[in-house]
Every structure is written in structure tokens, then in C-alpha cells.
Amino acid sequence: DTEVTQTPKHLVMGMTNKKSLKCEQHMGHRAMYWYKQKAKKPPELMFVYSYEKLSINESVPSRFSPECPNSSLLNLHLHALQPEDSALYLCASSPPNRETQYFGPGTRLLVL
Amino acid sequence: GESVGLHLPTLSVQEGDNSIINCAYSNSASDYFIWYKQESGKGPQFIIDIRSNMDKRQGQRVTVLLNKTVKHLSLQIAATQPGDSAVYFCAVLMTGFQKLVFGTGTRLLVSP
């Protein structure tokens, strides 16, 4: 198994909804990342977890709440989002002692 | 900090031609460089990487060149195929830091 999986593939939510994005990898990677990508732009880092601890938060608004329940899983909890939060949300992971990040297919989020 | 720029937003080539995509970075302490390919609706796919102690690395039909003197790297794709059509991002990192900084992306269009 050499891939990062993300669910759901697409998500439509209202501004009062609470939803969660899920990411999973079974490659033994110990660093996991959340990125946000707007159309025609490069990915922008949101959060980094290293050995299940949050190591980087790129000043992301609190309506985005990450969680790393174990070394294979990464969640992003969403609450009270704004329409401008509509984007492709990408998860990535990297092996121990290597910086290469491998990306999942993303969740395309639309906030109405 | 680090900023990364790509020289051309779009590159159009004929099938069978060689393609060269260029990228410039600003921080001379950056020492790890990755090229990603992103097809429409998908996550970035790792293509090839290079460390600052090398100036050239080859993969299958791809070559990455690194010029640390002028802080420039390039991705060369030999015998470009329609399946190579995608957006290509360079990404730059400093060892010890987990934050990849992405360039703005070059869209490669391959016509038959």
C-alpha cells in the first residue's frame, strides 16, 4: 500500500454545518500535513503533525481544527466555514528522516 | 523566508519534443528540491527530487538540474507525451524544517 487516501472526494456544506475531512496512510510515515489549494494556485500549508503531535500551525483560523488520532490517520474538523474557504484540501505524508511529501487526491470543498 | 517563482505560467509543446520547465528560489539555505505534477482534479504527484549536494539527477524521461550559484532549478522532460499535460510545481525546503514552499506552477500543454 503506497498511497494516501482522502475522504470524502467532494463535500458541500453550509456555513452553519460541522463536517470532517479524513486522511489515511499505511506507509509508516510519521509526518502528516494538511494543505489548502485554491484554483490556479499552488498548495498552501495549513498544519503539520509529526509523530502525532501538532508541530506547525500556519496561523489557520480556529474554524479549522486538525486531529491526529494515530500515526495512520489525520482529520480536519470544519465548523462555521465561510464561502471563501471553498478549495481543494490536500493531505500529505512523509517518511521518517525524509522530507519528500506524498499527496492524496484531495477533498474538493464547496461552502454555500 | 523563501519565495519560489516559475518563469513561465504556460508552456506549449508538440508531442515528441523535449520540455524544459524552470524555477527560481530565493534562499541559499534551501537544500532540498522537489518537482510535482498535478493533473486536473488530482493531488500533486511526486516526480523527482534533488538535494543541494548534487547538480543533476535523472529519472525515467525526466532530468532535474540544480544551479545553486544562481538559485535556479529546471525540469526536463524528454519526448513529451500528451499524458504529460498537467501543471508542474517546484517545491523547496530547508532540512530541519517541514515547510515545503511551492512555486506558482507551469501548465504544460502537449499537442499531438
Side-chain angles (χ1 to χ4, degrees):
Chain A
D1 190 354
T2 57
E3 64 175 346
V4 177
T5 59
Q6 290 187 244
T7 55
K9 198 171 172 61
H10 301 277
L11 180 62
V12 180
M13 62 186 291
M15 288 188 283
T16 59
N17 291 160
K18 282 186 184 181
K19 296 286 184 184
S20 296
L21 309 185
K22 295 188 184 301
C23 173
E24 195 165 358
Q25 56 86 17
H26 295 286
M27 297 179 281
H29 292 181
R30 300 312 299 269
M32 297 184 75
Y33 311 78
W34 280 115
Y35 285 83
K36 174 182 177 179
Q37 186 177 25
K38 300 284 274 185
K40 300 189 188 302
K41 297 288 187 184
E44 294 179 355
L45 183 67
M46 300 174 71
F47 302 104
V48 180
Y49 272 83
S50 183
Y51 290 86
E52 296 135 65
K53 290 191 183 342
L54 183 65
S55 59
I56 297 178
N57 176 340
E58 288 284 294
S59 303
V60 179
S62 60
R63 58 186 185 268
F64 295 92
S65 175
E67 179 197 17
C68 189
N70 59 56
S71 60
S72 300
L73 290 173
L74 186 66
N75 298 321
L76 186 62
H77 303 298
L78 314 173
H79 174 53
L81 293 195
Q82 304 296 310
E84 58 264 29
D85 296 322
S86 299
L88 180 69
Y89 287 84
L90 293 161
C91 175
S93 67
S94 56
N97 302 319
R98 278 195 65 198
E99 298 95 336
T100 313
Q101 294 182 22
Y102 298 92
F103 284 82
T107 292
R108 188 159 297 284
L109 174 68
L110 177 61
V111 182
L112 300 176
Chain B
E2 171 66 272
S3 67
V4 183
L6 278 131
H7 293 184
L8 280 178
T10 303
L11 176 64
S12 295
V13 301
Q14 294 279 106
E15 183 178 358
D17 287 353
N18 295 333
S19 304
I20 300 175
I21 301 171
N22 296 301
C23 185
Y25 61 98
S26 64
N27 193 332
S28 56
S30 296
D31 58 1
Y32 182 59
F33 308 87
I34 309 176
W35 282 100
Y36 288 96
K37 171 186 180 184
Q38 188 172 26
E39 296 175 273
S40 182
K42 296 185 179 180
Q45 175 190 356
F46 171 85
I47 303 173
I48 192 167
D49 59 358
I50 189 168
R51 294 196 178 276
S52 58
N53 60 354
M54 303 173 70
D55 52 22
K56 180 179 179 178
R57 191 152 187 241
Q58 289 185 286
Q60 189 176 10
R61 281 201 307 118
V62 294
T63 301
V64 56
L65 298 177
L66 177 63
N67 185 329
K68 295 179 288 294
T69 304
V70 296
K71 297 197 279 289
H72 177 274
L73 69 156
S74 66
L75 177 71
Q76 300 179 1
I77 305 173
T80 314
Q81 301 168 1
D84 295 325
S85 293
V87 177
Y88 289 81
F89 291 102
C90 65
V92 176
L93 184 145
M94 277 186 283
T95 297
F97 294 84
Q98 292 173 298
K99 182 176 179 178
L100 271 180
V101 178
F102 281 80
T104 51
T106 291
R107 179 171 296 279
L108 177 65
L109 299 171
V110 183
S111 50

